[in-house]
Amino acid sequence: MTGNKRESNVSQNTEDTDEYAFDRMYNKRKPESSFSPTIPLPKNGTGLPMQIPGPHHIHSLPSEPEETYQITDTLVARMVLHDSQRMANPHTLLNRVVYDCIDPSPMHYKQSSMSKRNRKSTLGPALKPYYIPMSKDDTTLVFESRFESGNLRRAIQVYEFEYDLILKFDVNTRGHTQWFYFSVDNAKKGKTYKFNIINLLKSDSLYNYGMRPLIYSEKDAKEKSKGWYRGGTDICYYQNSIKRKSGYFYTFTFSYKFENDHDKYYFAYCYPYTYTQLQHYLATLEHDPVRRKLFRRRTLCQTLAGNNVDLLTITSFSCDPQALQNRKGVVVSSRVHPGESNGSWMMKGLIDFLTGPSLDAKILRDNFVFKIVPMLNPDGVINGNYRCSLMGVDLNRKWNEASKKFHPTIAYTKQMIRQFMKEREVILFCDFHGHSRKKNIFMYGCVKGSGMKRLSTRVFPRILWKVAQNFSFKDCSFGVQKSKESTARIVGFKELGLVNSYTMEASFCGSNFGKHCDKHFNTRHLEHMGHYFCEAILDYCDPDPTNVRHVLQELELLYLDITTTKDNGDDSAGSDDEESESTKTSTTSQQKKKKKKKKEKRFSRQSTRSVPTVTQTTKKRASRASSRSMSSSVMSTHSSSSGSSNGSSTARKRSTSRRRLKSRSLRRQPKVDDVIKPKDLPITRSRPVSKQAATSKLRSRFLATIQAKSKHRNTSQPYSFSSNKREDEYEHYKNFRMRLFGTNSLNKQKTPAAASKSATNIDRLPFKTKSSHPPVPSSPSFPKLGTTTSSTIDSNKLNVIVIQEHKNM
């Protein structure tokens, strides 16, 4: 996007140190129209148009780290209120699409059909912008993201100075939106524009803790030698009202006041580090007369899109072959997740240190062999993905089943590590990552064994904490989760047998402790972290074990409980997985824990009641049937041994009947009606309460109530149902029956035999009824009982009544 004139006028006031030699070479390179044949062109593999060469940014940093943004308490509420007002007044919205990276522009649709040569991302003229301003007074921004590592799917103008932005999903996926990198043009000086990225997926972000987006101005870079800087106001991250399959999307919003007219601005999630930038950096090292002797570069494999994956070997090659064979090995990789560009900046610092002229670097080269894969996912980096490859899979979840056809970078890297371990002892493996929800720089490791052996994997991170001022040992986690068993760290630990297998995470924001508290990390901090990593290796492998012994003593004091307990692998929380993986897993695990606690409470309550379950009843019935079948089999064998034909036939009949009984008892599952728990009855039995048991319980309770009331009144007059109170007690008894057995028990149509049977039993009633009333009521409610002559109530007769009624039901 930049011309030769701009490149020639770039100021040379960048820091003049060895670690920025690449920037000096990059600023003095040839015009963009004539690339060196040694630099391979990036291939996106999708067929979509992409501008080559992409934008070039100078490497100039502010003298002091930039502070984080102070968020007010009412900011999120104001933004949500603004969104609700937009929804309430849709007639005030413009809703005009001003950019789309895939669909052709309606302004020049006739010229939108490009040649096959341009669609294959070859060198050629710049792509035409989607929107062309109508006049000088047109304040509409001109967006662009069709360059290497760019990510912006669509821009919608809501108001004159407000835009809704939609990010591209990772190729062949329907998710993973976090990385953004785009440019805007035609901004007016002094005007404040508001940007809303409305299709983010994570429930939380560092933008809620002061992180600012990165901004780059071409005019400031040309005139003031100003590189990337943090900016923006009204920054917040919240859930919006746009639904998706599993919840809602999230919005990241910020405002920016432009300072220049006729300028092109870039906005990015983190400091970009493209595939082309890596190729230029490695070409610079190869052309350096000193550094090219310290490393070897070869192609490990090719990606699905045809991009080369580089493998670097760094050591002192001018030595005895036997001494070279006795050296220990270290494997380092980065950028398996394309959107975590801070991992590439840490890798750059590590390579600069190992190929530098310092004494520590020479000691490391003389005693170790470093195998480095600087970019594991070039296809994702070129296409602007955040997490996945061209296949639409997370390559850091394919280490246990890597395919050379679909995941060639992981398969060949794993094969390289196996071969490297056959040649020498590998003492360390580390994969560099970025973290979008935690601050500081920290590590994830694995545990081994129990007791003091588990402290051995914590030694190297502890040493790194002593060396690096931005490294947080408190945020480090050491555990093996089931959801992470296919990552590089755990596969290297379990399958490959690497004890020191780590993932180093660098925050996209900054630190929350120490000298750089509440300040952003820049590329200088990330590169220095690569330097400190090398120094920690030197201290860890020091021939004098005093330092390591002191660290073990510190760890023993810090983890007193660890030396006696065994690790459960649950302490590696806080990973930077997507919402559809780690966040959902954590939420489901929390829900399971809550359900487990509820079940424990229920069990404790039920244990006091000693209520048996349906499964216990089924088991008892099955055990009884099995015992019966065993007895029948014994009888059959005894009868067969006697030799009598009649006895044997009888035994066979009995055994077959027993088997049928066993099969029926096993087939039959107890129904809900067979196991009832009436609220008014205390449950003290050791088996389920049946209808008969409940009836007897009801009968005894009813009799106890009548006797208690008769004693309380202290009257000699016998109890009768002639008064209204006696009638209410009978209604109470009827209600008990209806609750236990339902209203159907009162509505059953009896057969003539049953009716005659009940008619004969009516004489046993302890009271006399009128002839107009039927002996068995057929309506849902009992008819009103008339007045009767007083007679005493016999408890035995009442027992017969209740039992007889239960049989008739």
Side-chain angles (χ1 to χ4, degrees):
M1 288 254 185
T2 57
N4 302 337
K5 183 178 179 181
R6 184 184 63 79
E7 288 188 2
S8 61
N9 294 330
V10 171
S11 177
Q12 303 296 327
N13 294 331
T14 56
E15 295 185 21
D16 192 9
T17 58
D18 289 336
E19 59 182 346
Y20 297 116
F22 164 68
D23 299 302
R24 297 196 304 272
M25 180 267 180
Y26 197 75
N27 290 333
K28 295 178 182 179
R29 63 186 175 89
K30 295 181 180 181
E32 296 174 346
S33 59
S34 58
F35 272 80
S36 173
T38 59
I39 304 298
L41 297 178
K43 305 171 185 177
N44 57 14
T46 60
L48 296 175
M50 183 177 70
Q51 179 181 340
I52 295 179
H56 163 65
H57 310 294
I58 65 171
H59 194 84
S60 178
L61 300 173
S63 58
E64 294 293 333
E66 298 163 295
E67 295 184 355
T68 56
Y69 181 71
Q70 301 298 326
I71 301 176
T72 59
D73 297 336
T74 60
L75 180 59
V76 176
R78 287 194 292 110
M79 296 302 167
V80 174
L81 179 61
H82 177 71
D83 289 353
S84 62
Q85 291 175 354
R86 282 177 46 180
M87 295 178 63
N89 303 296
H91 59 278
T92 61
L93 306 179
L94 297 177
N95 282 338
R96 183 174 58 159
V97 178
V98 295
Y99 175 74
D100 196 296
C101 68
I102 298 177
D103 297 337
S105 173
M107 300 187 67
H108 46 82
Y109 64 92
K110 293 183 179 180
Q111 294 84 12
S112 62
S113 58
M114 301 177 61
S115 62
K116 293 183 179 180
R117 180 184 177 186
N118 291 336
R119 286 190 178 274
K120 291 183 178 180
S121 303
T122 58
L123 292 173
L127 298 175
K128 292 183 179 180
Y130 188 91
Y131 178 80
I132 301 174
M134 300 299 182
S135 62
K136 294 182 180 180
D137 298 332
D138 191 354
T139 59
T140 304
L141 295 179
V142 179
F143 291 84
E144 187 57 74
S145 66
R146 293 172 293 179
F147 46 78
E148 187 177 358
S149 296
N151 190 318
L152 178 63
R153 175 63 169 87
R154 182 175 295 171
I156 303 170
Q157 187 178 15
V158 181
Y159 296 111
E160 183 179 3
F161 299 104
E162 183 175 353
Y163 296 84
D164 284 349
L165 307 181
I166 300 174
L167 301 183
K168 286 192 307 181
F169 293 116
D170 285 5
V171 178
N172 292 322
T173 68
R174 297 297 298 170
H176 307 290
T177 54
Q178 191 77 21
W179 169 263
F180 61 87
Y181 179 29
F182 60 90
S183 68
V184 296
D185 204 347
N186 196 41
K188 303 303 178 183
K189 181 179 180 180
K191 297 294 183 180
T192 301
Y193 291 77
K194 184 180 179 182
F195 303 95
N196 308 313
I197 301 177
I198 61 175
N199 66 327
L200 298 174
L201 300 176
K202 293 187 177 181
S203 59
D204 197 9
S205 174
L206 287 171
Y207 289 116
N208 284 333
Y209 304 95
M211 179 177 167
R212 294 172 180 250
L214 280 164
I215 305 171
Y216 183 91
S217 170
E218 285 190 351
K219 197 170 185 179
D220 290 344
K222 177 181 178 180
E223 298 176 355
K224 303 177 183 178
S225 298
K226 185 178 180 180
W228 288 97
Y229 61 93
R230 302 278 180 174
T233 57
D234 294 338
I235 302 169
C236 67
Y237 187 95
Y238 60 94
Q239 178 181 298
N240 56 35
S241 58
I242 305 174
K243 289 187 178 181
R244 59 188 181 102
K245 287 186 177 180
S246 58
Y248 292 85
F249 285 100
Y250 291 82
T251 295
F252 163 56
T253 179
F254 68 97
S255 301
Y256 182 72
K257 185 178 181 180
F258 291 93
E259 300 177 354
N260 302 321
D261 279 327
H262 310 291
D263 192 6
K264 178 174 286 189
Y265 285 85
Y266 293 86
F267 295 90
Y269 180 69
C270 187
Y271 296 95
Y273 197 95
T274 63
Y275 176 76
T276 303
Q277 193 170 348
L278 172 66
Q279 298 302 312
H280 277 283
Y281 172 66
L282 297 179
T284 305
L285 295 178
E286 287 182 327
H287 287 82
D288 191 301
V290 177
R291 297 194 177 192
R292 66 183 180 184
K293 300 178 182 179
L294 306 177
F295 78 100
R296 299 289 184 269
R297 177 189 179 188
R298 71 178 182 88
T299 301
L300 179 65
C301 63
Q302 284 193 335
T303 63
L304 298 178
N307 299 295
N308 295 333
V309 179
D310 295 295
L311 173 64
L312 306 181
T313 304
I314 301 177
T315 188
S316 296
F317 295 98
S318 57
C319 65
D320 183 24
Q322 185 64 29
L324 182 63
Q325 187 177 359
N326 295 333
R327 293 175 185 173
K328 297 181 179 180
V330 177
V331 181
V332 187
S333 63
S334 70
R335 211 63 184 278
V336 68
H337 294 150
E340 299 172 359
S341 59
N342 42 8
S344 288
W345 290 105
M346 290 191 294
M347 179 62 74
K348 180 180 182 298
L350 182 141
I351 297 174
D352 286 339
F353 184 87
L354 291 177
T355 57
S358 65
L359 179 61
D360 290 343
K362 186 177 185 306
I363 295 174
L364 288 173
R365 292 194 300 267
D366 292 342
N367 293 275
F368 298 94
V369 178
F370 291 86
K371 292 286 187 179
I372 298 174
V373 185
M375 190 171 287
L376 280 169
N377 193 351
D379 293 348
V381 173
I382 294 171
N383 285 281
N385 289 359
Y386 173 66
R387 197 171 184 87
C388 298
S389 66
L390 203 62
M391 282 288 297
V393 296
D394 186 352
L395 293 181
N396 201 32
R397 297 295 185 273
K398 297 298 178 182
W399 281 84
N400 58 342
E401 49 181 11
S403 169
K404 291 184 178 181
K405 181 178 181 181
F406 301 112
H407 327 109
T409 59
I410 304 301
Y412 283 99
T413 302
K414 189 175 178 181
Q415 180 180 338
M416 179 269 296
I417 296 174
R418 289 184 183 276
Q419 184 63 30
F420 194 45
M421 293 178 65
K422 293 179 181 179
E423 298 173 358
R424 64 191 76 251
E425 178 188 359
V426 179
I427 63 166
L428 180 66
F429 169 67
C430 189
D431 192 18
F432 292 168
H433 285 257
H435 209 286
S436 65
R437 284 181 284 189
K438 292 179 67 176
K439 290 188 176 182
N440 305 321
I441 301 174
F442 50 92
M443 274 187 168
Y444 291 140
C446 303
V447 292
K448 180 181 181 181
S450 60
M452 293 298 297
K453 291 183 180 180
R454 295 172 54 197
L455 299 179
S456 60
T457 58
R458 292 170 166 85
V459 173
F460 181 78
R462 186 70 177 179
I463 293 175
L464 185 58
W465 170 74
K466 291 176 176 290
V467 174
Q469 57 183 352
N470 292 322
F471 187 83
S472 173
F473 184 77
K474 181 181 178 180
D475 293 322
C476 294
S477 297
F478 304 89
V480 179
Q481 291 179 321
K482 290 185 178 180
S483 59
K484 308 294 178 61
E485 288 184 348
S486 56
T487 59
R489 167 176 61 96
I490 298 179
V491 171
F493 176 74
K494 284 189 172 182
E495 184 177 341
L496 301 180
L498 299 172
V499 178
N500 295 319
S501 181
Y502 304 101
T503 296
M504 188 160 71
E505 304 270 354
S507 174
F508 287 104
C509 181
S511 179
N512 60 7
F513 72 97
K515 179 181 178 181
H516 299 140
C517 180
D518 295 333
K519 294 182 179 180
H520 286 93
F521 288 150
N522 53 36
T523 57
R524 186 185 296 113
H525 299 130
L526 299 174
E527 291 179 17
H528 287 173
M529 195 63 216
H531 301 175
Y532 296 140
F533 185 84
C534 297
E535 293 178 5
I537 295 175
L538 198 61
D539 293 343
Y540 179 74
C541 299
D542 193 346
D544 185 8
T546 305
N547 189 18
V548 177
R549 190 181 300 115
H550 288 333
V551 171
L552 282 172
Q553 292 175 358
E554 292 178 5
L555 293 173
E556 188 176 358
L557 295 175
L558 287 173
Y559 302 97
L560 291 175
D561 56 337
I562 265 188
T563 57
T564 57
T565 59
K566 193 171 182 180
D567 188 22
N568 56 3
D570 294 335
D571 57 346
S572 62
S575 64
D576 198 29
D577 286 351
E578 283 296 312
E579 190 71 19
S580 59
E581 298 175 2
S582 106
T583 305
K584 289 183 179 180
T585 305
S586 61
T587 53
T588 53
S589 61
Q590 292 176 1
Q591 292 176 358
K592 288 180 180 179
K593 289 181 181 178
K594 290 182 180 179
K595 290 182 179 179
K596 189 177 181 181
K597 290 182 180 179
K598 290 182 180 179
K599 287 183 180 179
E600 290 176 356
K601 290 181 180 179
R602 290 178 185 173
F603 181 76
S604 61
R605 293 174 182 173
Q606 293 177 359
S607 61
T608 57
R609 297 182 179 180
S610 67
V611 180
T613 59
V614 177
T615 55
Q616 294 175 354
T617 308
T618 308
K619 290 180 180 179
K620 287 182 179 180
R621 290 177 178 175
S623 62
R624 292 172 185 172
S626 61
S627 62
R628 291 170 183 171
S629 63
M630 290 176 62
S631 62
S632 63
S633 62
V634 171
M635 292 176 62
S636 62
T637 53
H638 178 71
S639 60
S640 61
S641 61
S642 62
S644 60
S645 59
N646 296 332
S648 61
S649 61
T650 307
R652 290 194 199 97
K653 292 180 181 180
R654 289 178 181 176
S655 62
T656 54
S657 62
R658 297 297 185 186
R659 282 197 296 271
R660 289 175 182 175
L661 179 62
K662 179 181 177 181
S663 61
R664 289 175 184 175
S665 62
L666 290 174
R667 282 200 309 268
R668 183 180 180 276
Q669 295 293 336
K671 299 178 181 179
V672 180
D673 294 338
D674 295 339
V675 183
I676 56 177
K677 299 175 183 178
K679 296 182 180 179
D680 298 327
L681 298 178
I683 301 175
T684 57
R685 291 180 173 272
S686 60
R687 62 176 181 270
V689 183
S690 62
K691 286 184 179 182
Q692 184 175 1
T695 307
S696 61
K697 197 71 179 180
L698 177 63
R699 180 194 64 222
S700 61
R701 183 165 182 175
F702 182 68
L703 291 173
T705 304
I706 295 176
Q707 292 174 4
K709 288 189 177 183
S710 62
K711 289 180 181 179
H712 178 70
R713 295 193 177 193
N714 296 324
T715 177
S716 60
Q717 184 179 1
Y719 231 47
S720 66
F721 287 90
S722 59
S723 61
N724 294 332
K725 292 184 179 180
R726 307 301 179 271
E727 216 168 292
D728 294 340
E729 290 174 357
Y730 191 81
E731 290 290 332
H732 182 64
Y733 168 70
K734 179 197 67 173
N735 292 336
F736 265 118
R737 287 180 54 81
M738 293 175 64
R739 183 163 56 234
L740 289 173
F741 311 118
T743 57
N744 295 332
S745 61
L746 304 177
N747 297 334
K748 286 186 177 180
Q749 297 293 334
K750 298 183 180 295
T751 60
S756 61
K757 188 176 183 180
S758 60
T760 57
N761 294 332
I762 197 65
D763 297 332
R764 301 181 184 179
L765 288 173
F767 52 87
K768 294 181 179 180
T769 59
K770 291 185 178 182
S771 60
S772 59
H773 294 158
V776 179
S778 59
S779 60
S781 60
F782 280 92
K784 188 175 181 180
L785 299 176
T787 58
T788 60
T789 57
S790 61
S791 60
T792 59
I793 297 178
D794 189 2
S795 61
N796 296 329
K797 290 184 178 181
L798 185 60
N799 295 346
V800 172
I801 294 170
V802 176
I803 294 173
Q804 189 64 37
E805 286 184 359
H806 177 65
K807 289 181 179 180
N808 294 335
M809 289 169 61

